[in-house]
Amino acid sequence: METLTKTSRRDFLKLGLTAGGGLVLSFNWSDSLARITHAGDEAAVNVDFNSYLSISPDDVITIFSPNPELGQNIKTSFPMVVAEELDADWKKVNVVQAALDVKKYDRQLTGGSGAVPHSWERLRKAGATARQMLMEAAAKKWNVSASSLTASNGFVIHADGRKLSYGALAADAAGIPVPTEVKLKNPKDFKLIGTAVPNVDNKEMVTGKPLYGLDFYREGMLHAMIQRPPAFGTKIKSVNAAAAKALPGIVDVVTFKNNVAIVGKSTWEIMKARRVLKVEYEKEGNIESTTDHDKLFKELLDKPEATVRRQDGDVVAAFKNAATVIKREYQCPFLSHAPMEPMNFFAHVKADSVELVGPTQTPDRARNATAQLLGISPDKVTVELTRLGGGFGRRLQADYVVEAAELSKLINAPVKVTWSREDDMMGGSYRPAVRYRFEAALDAKGSMTGYKLRGVGINAGNSTREDNFPSGAVDNLLIESIDHQSPITTGAWRAPITNFLAFAEQAFLDEVALAAKKDPVQFRLELLDKAKQSPVGAIRYDIDRTKSVINLVAEKSGWGKKKNLAQGFSVYFSHRSYVAQVAEVEMVSGNPVLKKIYAASDCGIVINLSGARQQVMGGIVDGLGHALYGQVTFKEGAAEQHNFNNYRLIRYNEVPEVEVHFVDNGIDPTGLGEPALPPTGGAVANAIFKATGKRLYNQPFILQEEMKGVKLGLKM
Amino acid sequence: MAAYSIHVNGETKKIDVASDTPLLWVLRDSLGLVGTKYGCGIAQCGACTVHLNGTAVRSCSLPISAIGASKVTTIEGLSKEGDHPVQQAWQEVDVPQCGYCQAGQIMSAAALLTKNPSPSEDQIATAMNGNICRCGTYHRIKEAVVLASSKMK
Ligand code: FES
Ligand code: FES
């Protein structure tokens, strides 16, 4: 199945119009010729084949990586795709992080595990087009037909053995009209894709090179930290900055909006000045506490009306006629994103332009928000991307960029704003807290005839995913949500909503399977068969792909065959990928020890095996750690957790063994930055139940009543 | 403010800072050695780990006044060519995700292996437990420490 794909100017114009709503060209290959740039030295002529690819005469293949890199491996995986179709020598590939450029790239963001499906074909075409042009250039040079040529490892090779390197051909290739059709490889012929390629920034990372936003320093730059209200729902009443201003190294103290910025010459001097800064706050909106939310959740769950997200059949009748009804509730707390690199950004607002440098998942949003705030055109704002020391969704927001720009304008100087860990945890944004009520109706044979879910959340929006499993497999179904608006700011947190919904749902289905006297895996498979034979309403997931990960993880984990181990199962579809997990718990001297987690993932074609395995292992560790320990609670609007001393993150000796498998199906790839996280909490809770008979309904697990007196063992 | 002269990565550096300035901020803000990271500032995460006379310490909680004549080694000074066995192992195992914590992880691992080239699993855990990796690279950290240990024997 070789793919012939057309790349005409019209196609790209059309594509740009539909994707961006404005005239956005995805590639500059829509120009009729590739561009030649002189990189300083007159002799060095680099040829830019398109926005992703440039080839130098000395065979350096520069591949530009447009999306922000925060640990999801995109800066390695994406260039691999270009290099594959180009048949480049990976050792000669030099990857460069591209700055924000809305003319060259669309969707230059990291979020929703969406970059891979979005860019897969674009990247392939970028490589394949250049390869074809290089081959045509060689054909012309040797005066032979292009069909007598092959390309391999950075060379065009004639059947008689003659060969020329890409670098030697690049200048000629620049004169070849950009082909309107290119042939993409048959995935069976991939040489680089599917192998384990080490991160392109490994050397820089292990030697401590300046890569991150916080590492950005510039001559004459000032440092700043911002004191934000300590409690949500409060505003500044008065500021007394006299003592702070008098300290050495402090340049200024500036109040704007609800912020008091201390500007100085070094980070530590600012940190010290903050201690003597006196700011009084007063009430501005609702002041909420976690105890209020607990009460509110119960009220909302019993409220007669809610937003109906999906309704199939007749749930009232189904529950009336049920032989068994199971009703359970699950609650998750607020979480901090807590990327290891705290928020920071450099901004320099000049007379007629703005320079922004730092870690952001959405450079375009940062740019537009800054332009809007300053009342200037977005094209006056440049955004340079550093590597991100984690993101987890926190850096999808532009608040910390905009405030840096606002401050730079106020003080008329280049400035880097750094958040302390406490600022990040107490005044940032959180995963919303949510509570769910699930109800299932079983008939006398143990078939699920009715299913109800109501999600209630604090600034969670729609806390359900109404078209996910088991929707489509149940005749009578009702899914509703209610959202409470709160001054506590929330935002997308790695695998938004599903990071908790999956636990609740998969733990619930485990109980339902038990009540139906069915094996939990078999129970899911039967539901999926039913959805396949007689689907009810819209189904967002692929039934066969869901089954394939279930079967793979059951096989690899020896599901149901292990005598001394309690196994817990979970499967979830999110962000277009499928992941099933089995957690194993062993009872050791009367206490459960989490030994191992098996994962089977279907993300289609695996681009970088090393990166993909990392994403699954990291997602599992993240899902486990937060299910066990994570929570931010509020007292009178203020977060009670301030730093890693009381906001517990999972550590080295607390992770079980993890075994990762992928379904090999040749389907176009989808993302993997998020999908491995959602199933973990459910698999672990179900295994703990199997081992101890104790059901976990709320997170964090270790603080629950059910875990009192239970010593959960965790061991690497 | 006070003048200090400290030994960092084999060189003598003169700085003029307040006596309570943590070594972390001296390294980053005064000396431009930004490989040592800020993660928590309260000795909880290990991102700021450096060696003080070969021992792993949290530079965020070590005031400049306490350094004296001790030798400070940062990630930049761990090896000249970036080829310390631990740095090699980290690349071979492909440990980093976002990478932010990794300088601290490497410094903890290197200090451990210098003192104890063949650590037991428990000894590795004790040495590495103070370094948080928010991306969850612990499995590969373990693999890399074991690999580095085999290189150092
Ligand atoms: S920054 Fe020093 S231990 Fe976290
Ligand atoms: S690699 Fe991201 S924090 Fe460790």
Side-chain angles (χ1 to χ4, degrees):
Chain A
M1 46 158 225
E2 282 185 349
T3 335
L4 201 60
T5 135
K6 286 186 190 289
T7 57
S8 74
R9 187 186 176 87
R10 247 189 101 240
D11 278 355
F12 280 104
L13 285 172
K14 231 171 36 196
L15 180 86
L17 279 167
T18 50
L23 186 58
V24 179
L25 291 176
S26 304
F27 296 89
N28 62 17
W29 67 21
S30 55
D31 299 353
S32 57
L33 291 175
R35 296 205 187 126
I36 298 187
T37 54
H38 293 265
D41 168 12
E42 276 304 299
V45 178
N46 293 333
V47 180
D48 293 345
F49 282 83
N50 48 58
S51 7
Y52 293 95
L53 180 62
S54 173
I55 299 180
S56 80
D58 53 352
D59 289 321
V60 175
I61 314 276
T62 301
I63 301 182
F64 295 93
S65 180
N67 293 62
E69 169 67 71
L70 49 72
Q72 83 281 39
N73 199 255
I74 206 157
K75 196 176 167 188
T76 306
S77 305
F78 266 23
M80 283 173 69
V81 179
V82 179
E84 174 72 65
E85 291 285 353
L86 178 63
D87 272 313
D89 178 356
W90 181 253
K91 289 194 287 296
K92 301 226 169 101
V93 169
N94 173 37
V95 178
V96 174
Q97 175 71 56
L100 174 67
D101 190 333
V102 292
K103 293 206 179 69
K104 280 186 180 170
Y105 311 105
D106 56 358
R107 205 190 181 283
Q108 207 173 349
L109 69 90
T110 291
S113 299
V116 169
H118 175 86
S119 301
W120 172 242
E121 194 169 301
R122 285 173 174 76
L123 297 167
R124 293 181 72 189
K125 282 181 185 170
T129 306
R131 177 180 180 274
Q132 192 163 322
M133 289 162 75
L134 291 159
M135 289 180 74
E136 280 174 35
K140 225 166 148 184
K141 194 166 198 142
W142 290 328
N143 200 16
V144 297
S145 81
S147 61
S148 60
L149 304 176
T150 51
S152 172
N153 222 21
F155 287 91
V156 177
I157 305 158
H158 188 267
D160 67 13
R162 270 181 288 175
K163 60 180 190 175
L164 277 171
S165 75
Y166 287 177
L169 287 164
D172 286 349
I176 304 274
V178 177
T180 55
E181 287 186 353
V182 284
K183 216 175 181 185
L184 300 181
K185 284 185 179 177
N186 183 326
K188 286 198 184 67
D189 299 327
F190 286 159
K191 292 191 193 98
L192 190 61
I193 288 177
T195 63
V197 172
N199 198 304
V200 293
D201 281 340
N202 269 349
K203 180 88 186 197
E204 288 74 17
M205 288 189 278
V206 306
T207 51
K209 293 284 171 316
L211 293 170
Y212 304 90
L214 216 55
D215 302 343
F216 184 83
Y217 286 73
R218 176 174 293 168
E219 196 65 45
M221 165 188 104
L222 293 170
H223 294 262
M225 288 185 124
I226 293 176
Q227 173 91 32
R228 298 169 196 83
F232 290 94
T234 61
K235 65 173 202 270
I236 295 174
K237 187 177 172 199
S238 67
V239 180
N240 180 349
K245 272 189 191 168
L247 288 177
I250 301 306
V251 176
D252 205 350
V253 177
V254 188
T255 304
F256 61 104
K257 295 186 178 135
N258 251 336
N259 301 318
V260 185
I262 303 190
V263 183
K265 298 207 171 109
S266 77
T267 316
W268 181 247
E269 286 166 322
I270 295 169
M271 285 177 161
K272 276 176 75 176
R274 283 185 76 172
R275 296 181 194 156
V276 298
L277 177 70
K278 291 200 174 59
V279 189
E280 272 190 286
Y281 294 89
E282 61 190 356
K283 186 172 178 304
E284 188 187 34
N286 288 348
I287 309 256
E288 299 178 3
S289 299
T290 295
T291 47
D292 302 329
H293 293 152
D294 288 345
K295 278 192 219 118
L296 179 73
F297 281 150
K298 304 228 154 122
E299 280 166 36
L300 295 178
L301 282 175
D302 289 333
K303 210 174 156 189
E305 312 82 42
T307 307
V308 174
R309 300 288 174 184
R310 176 170 172 140
Q311 198 163 15
D312 296 323
D314 183 349
V315 268
V316 177
F319 278 83
K320 215 171 110 201
N321 300 328
T324 315
V325 170
I326 304 124
K327 183 171 162 184
R328 298 286 184 267
E329 289 178 17
Y330 301 82
Q331 189 168 320
C332 75
F334 290 100
L335 291 180
S336 170
H337 296 81
M340 283 312 285
E341 178 192 19
M343 296 307 109
N344 66 86
F345 230 83
F346 169 84
H348 190 186
V349 178
K350 301 170 215 172
D352 56 353
S353 66
V354 178
E355 189 188 3
L356 300 173
V357 184
T360 168
Q361 293 177 241
T362 49
D364 200 20
R365 180 184 292 177
R367 181 177 86 138
N368 290 333
T370 302
Q372 200 186 357
L373 172 96
L374 300 174
I376 56 170
S377 153
D379 58 20
K380 298 268 186 274
V381 182
T382 58
V383 186
E384 198 184 309
L385 289 169
T386 60
R387 194 176 177 86
L388 285 65
F392 309 100
R394 177 62 184 92
R395 292 189 233 265
L396 285 167
Q397 298 177 44
D399 57 323
Y400 63 98
V401 185
V402 174
E403 65 175 24
E406 191 164 7
L407 180 60
S408 169
K409 186 173 168 143
L410 286 169
I411 61 174
N412 194 22
V415 66
K416 179 170 72 177
V417 177
T418 299
W419 294 48
S420 68
R421 176 59 58 194
E422 289 81 2
D423 293 336
D424 196 46
M425 206 164 277
M426 297 166 71
S429 112
Y430 306 88
R431 175 187 76 174
V434 182
R435 188 171 178 95
Y436 293 109
R437 176 184 290 159
F438 288 84
E439 293 167 76
L442 296 176
D443 66 12
K445 282 184 290 194
S447 294
M448 190 156 69
T449 50
Y451 186 86
K452 287 201 271 184
L453 164 62
R454 181 182 279 194
V456 297
I458 313 290
N459 290 346
N462 176 6
S463 51
T464 71
R465 290 289 178 267
E466 61 275 11
D467 295 331
N468 267 12
F469 186 79
S471 294
V474 190
D475 292 333
N476 308 293
L477 174 136
L478 176 66
I479 296 185
E480 305 167 312
S481 68
I482 304 177
D483 196 27
H484 167 75
Q485 302 289 313
S486 163
I488 297 169
T489 44
T490 65
W493 193 101
R494 191 180 194 179
I497 303 297
T498 61
N499 59 46
F500 181 73
L501 174 60
F503 151 69
E505 176 196 302
Q506 292 296 310
F508 179 64
L509 288 176
D510 203 64
E511 277 200 68
V512 178
L514 206 75
K517 302 196 171 41
K518 289 180 182 162
D519 170 77
V521 168
Q522 203 50 43
F523 180 68
R524 264 82 157 195
L525 290 173
E526 280 171 20
L527 281 169
L528 289 162
D529 285 338
K530 178 168 185 311
K532 181 106 184 174
Q533 281 148 21
S534 47
V536 185
I539 299 183
R540 264 199 68 224
Y541 54 96
D542 183 294
I543 293 164
D544 294 330
R545 294 180 78 178
T546 311
K547 285 177 72 175
S548 71
V549 291
I550 295 177
N551 288 325
L552 184 62
V553 84
E555 177 205 321
K556 296 294 179 188
S557 67
W559 174 257
K561 293 191 188 115
K562 292 185 176 164
K563 288 235 162 53
N564 302 325
L565 292 170
Q567 293 182 315
F569 172 81
S570 168
V571 59
Y572 212 75
F573 163 73
S574 67
H575 304 283
R576 303 184 189 87
S577 295
Y578 304 78
V579 182
Q581 292 176 15
V582 168
E584 286 180 348
V585 167
E586 189 185 341
M587 292 303 282
V588 180
S589 341
N591 284 310
V593 179
L594 180 61
K595 286 276 181 177
K596 184 164 180 174
I597 296 176
Y598 295 85
S601 309
D602 177 358
C603 56
I605 293 168
V606 169
I607 298 174
N608 182 359
L609 189 59
S610 181
R613 292 175 58 81
Q614 268 180 331
Q615 289 310 303
V616 176
M617 293 197 289
I620 287 173
V621 171
D622 197 354
L624 173 66
H626 286 92
L628 289 172
Y629 310 127
Q631 77 165 350
V632 175
T633 52
F634 290 90
K635 192 162 180 194
E636 278 156 27
E640 293 183 288
Q641 290 71 26
H642 304 164
N643 203 324
F644 298 133
N645 55 339
N646 53 11
Y647 185 79
R648 185 168 170 189
L649 290 176
I650 193 164
R651 288 178 185 267
Y652 176 93
N653 68 341
E654 298 169 323
V655 298
E657 190 185 337
V658 173
E659 190 177 307
V660 180
H661 298 277
F662 293 98
V663 173
D664 181 11
N665 55 17
I667 296 173
D668 282 356
T670 45
L672 209 51
E674 290 162 294
L677 185 152
T680 305
V684 171
N686 294 340
I688 290 175
F689 166 75
K690 197 92 178 280
T692 63
K694 291 180 199 286
R695 282 280 178 199
L696 287 159
Y697 296 99
N698 303 319
Q699 290 183 1
F701 292 164
I702 56 147
L703 295 184
Q704 301 312 310
E705 202 52 40
E706 294 84 356
M707 294 303 278
K708 286 239 168 79
V710 178
K711 200 169 166 278
L712 180 64
L714 298 150
K715 200 166 163 47
M716 174 110 115
Chain B
M1 304 283 268
Y4 292 92
S5 155
I6 57 169
H7 301 286
V8 182
N9 298 335
E11 288 175 40
T12 304
K13 301 280 183 187
K14 290 194 190 315
I15 48 249
D16 194 11
V17 293
S19 61
D20 58 357
T21 309
L23 176 61
L24 168 68
W25 297 112
V26 172
L27 294 170
R28 292 185 60 86
D29 283 353
S30 309
L31 301 178
L33 292 169
V34 297
T36 306
K37 299 296 191 237
Y38 165 70
C40 69
I42 56 164
Q44 288 286 323
C45 76
C48 64
T49 306
V50 299
H51 296 172
L52 198 66
N53 294 333
T55 301
V57 294
R58 313 291 181 224
S59 66
C60 69
S61 304
L62 192 68
I64 187 76
S65 56
I67 308 294
S70 301
K71 289 191 171 61
V72 177
T73 309
T74 71
I75 186 75
E76 291 92 344
L78 186 61
S79 64
K80 269 211 170 61
E81 307 293 332
D83 56 357
H84 183 283
V86 174
Q87 288 169 313
Q88 282 178 23
W90 241 250
Q91 295 182 70
E92 283 169 39
V93 174
D94 197 22
V95 175
Q97 287 193 29
C98 83
Y100 192 81
C101 73
Q102 299 297 345
Q105 306 277 5
I106 288 169
M107 296 309 282
S108 289
L112 165 73
L113 294 175
T114 306
K115 292 210 170 78
N116 178 2
S118 310
S120 67
E121 285 202 9
D122 283 351
Q123 288 168 328
I124 299 176
T126 306
M128 301 312 294
N129 234 22
N131 290 76
I132 294 173
C133 175
R134 176 68 180 83
C135 299
T137 61
Y138 300 123
H139 296 94
R140 288 198 177 172
I141 288 173
K142 179 181 184 177
E143 210 184 310
V145 174
V146 172
L147 177 64
S149 151
S150 73
K151 286 176 191 282
M152 285 172 82
K153 271 179 215 164

